[in-house]
Amino acid sequence: MEHCGTQELETDRLLLRRYVVEDAAAMYKNWASDEDVTKYLMWPPHSSQEISRGIIEDWVNQYINRNYYHWAIILKDNVNEPIGDIAVVDMNEEISMVHIGYCIGKAWWRKGITSEALKAVMDFLFDVVDVNRIESRHDPRNPNSGRVMKKCGMKYEGTLRSSDWNNQGICDACYYALLKSDVNIEKGN
């Protein structure tokens, strides 16, 4: 992989950028404190804006690492207010694989925003970082997350039973992935 760190990405509607500490209020308000948003995640809802701030401070400190990829999702018509989060949450250099996680505030569900953000991140990781495999997973009780993956071209690879955990406890995990060769075939390369 050709690591270059978190770069600003732009789509028709979105700006994906590095976090700044001042994003804590929006993070807390827009998604991190919402039990519906965190229901199938691995971290509990934030009980205060200070918790969001502390987490963002940790993320900001990680930006010095060239193999750290973490974006705030922002609508272009409101560039000062993140509405969600997308990041590489796991990486295996030996097989050139990254695992992506994402979440977005409830007010922006079912608007295609998460798919748009995921597609931009996947394109960046394939084209710039030269990743071979991009994967993600979701709890089968959260099928909308799987629809996001499918919409971005990821292929369903299977469900691992009782292989994961989230705020609901031990759970199954539905895995999706896309290989760089899949993308090249689609592009005719």
Side-chain angles (χ1 to χ4, degrees), residues 64-75:
I64 62 167
N65 299 315
R66 293 183 60 80
N67 66 346
Y68 185 71
Y69 302 100
H70 199 154
W71 294 269
I73 301 171
I74 295 156
L75 291 169

Side-chain angles (χ1 to χ4, degrees), residues 1-15:
M1 291 189 272
E2 302 293 326
H3 292 299
C4 59
T6 305
Q7 305 293 311
E8 191 169 284
L9 307 176
E10 192 172 330
T11 70
D12 290 341
R13 298 183 291 170
L14 306 175
L15 177 65

Side-chain angles (χ1 to χ4, degrees), residues 8 14 36 94 100 120 133 177 187:
E8 191 169 284
L14 306 175
D36 290 334
E94 290 183 40
I100 298 177
R133 175 183 167 88
K187 290 180 180 178

Side-chain angles (χ1 to χ4, degrees), residues 141-156:
R141 295 170 290 185
N142 184 18
N144 288 328
S145 188
R147 287 198 244 321
V148 168
M149 296 168 202
K150 204 170 176 181
K151 188 173 179 182
C152 291
M154 296 176 112
K155 315 285 187 239
Y156 172 71

Side-chain angles (χ1 to χ4, degrees), residues 6-182:
T6 305
Q7 305 293 311
E8 191 169 284
L9 307 176
E10 192 172 330
T11 70
D12 290 341
R13 298 183 291 170
L14 306 175
L15 177 65
L16 306 179
R17 64 152 170 82
R18 292 179 174 201
Y19 279 92
V20 294
V21 174
E22 293 76 19
D23 291 330
M27 177 186 180
Y28 178 75
K29 176 184 75 158
N30 289 336
W31 76 89
S33 62
D34 189 329
E35 290 183 5
D36 290 334
V37 172
T38 61
K39 183 174 184 176
Y40 298 109
L41 299 179
M42 298 172 121
W43 47 270
H46 296 181
S47 58
S48 71
Q49 187 175 311
E50 289 69 37
I51 291 172
S52 298
R53 182 181 185 86
I55 288 169
I56 290 177
E57 286 172 353
D58 289 341
W59 294 344
V60 167
N61 290 333
Q62 292 295 316
Y63 286 129
I64 62 167
N65 299 315
R66 293 183 60 80
N67 66 346
Y68 185 71
Y69 302 100
H70 199 154
W71 294 269
I73 301 171
I74 295 156
L75 291 169
K76 282 183 180 177
D77 61 6
N78 191 2
V79 291
N80 292 320
E81 187 165 333
I83 61 167
D85 177 85
I86 188 164
V88 170
V89 296
D90 193 19
M91 181 181 303
N92 184 326
E93 295 274 353
E94 290 183 40
I95 60 171
S96 189
M97 180 280 295
V98 296
H99 188 103
I100 298 177
Y102 49 79
C103 63
I104 193 163
K106 193 167 37 182
W108 299 276
W109 287 359
R110 296 177 190 85
K111 298 180 187 300
I113 293 168
T114 309
S115 303
E116 192 172 325
L118 178 58
K119 179 76 170 90
V121 168
M122 290 172 66
D123 288 348
F124 168 76
L125 292 168
F126 280 136
D127 298 342
V128 178
V129 183
D130 198 26
V131 166
N132 180 55
R133 175 183 167 88
I134 297 174
E135 67 178 33
S136 195
R137 71 181 187 279
H138 71 89
D139 184 317
R141 295 170 290 185
N142 184 18
N144 288 328
S145 188
R147 287 198 244 321
V148 168
M149 296 168 202
K150 204 170 176 181
K151 188 173 179 182
C152 291
M154 296 176 112
K155 315 285 187 239
Y156 172 71
E157 293 187 329
T159 299
L160 302 180
R161 298 175 304 144
S162 293
S163 65
D164 207 355
W165 63 272
N166 59 33
N167 288 326
Q168 302 304 300
I170 295 172
C171 64
D172 295 349
C174 300
Y175 275 82
Y176 287 75
L178 191 64
L179 304 179
K180 189 169 190 170
S181 59
D182 297 333

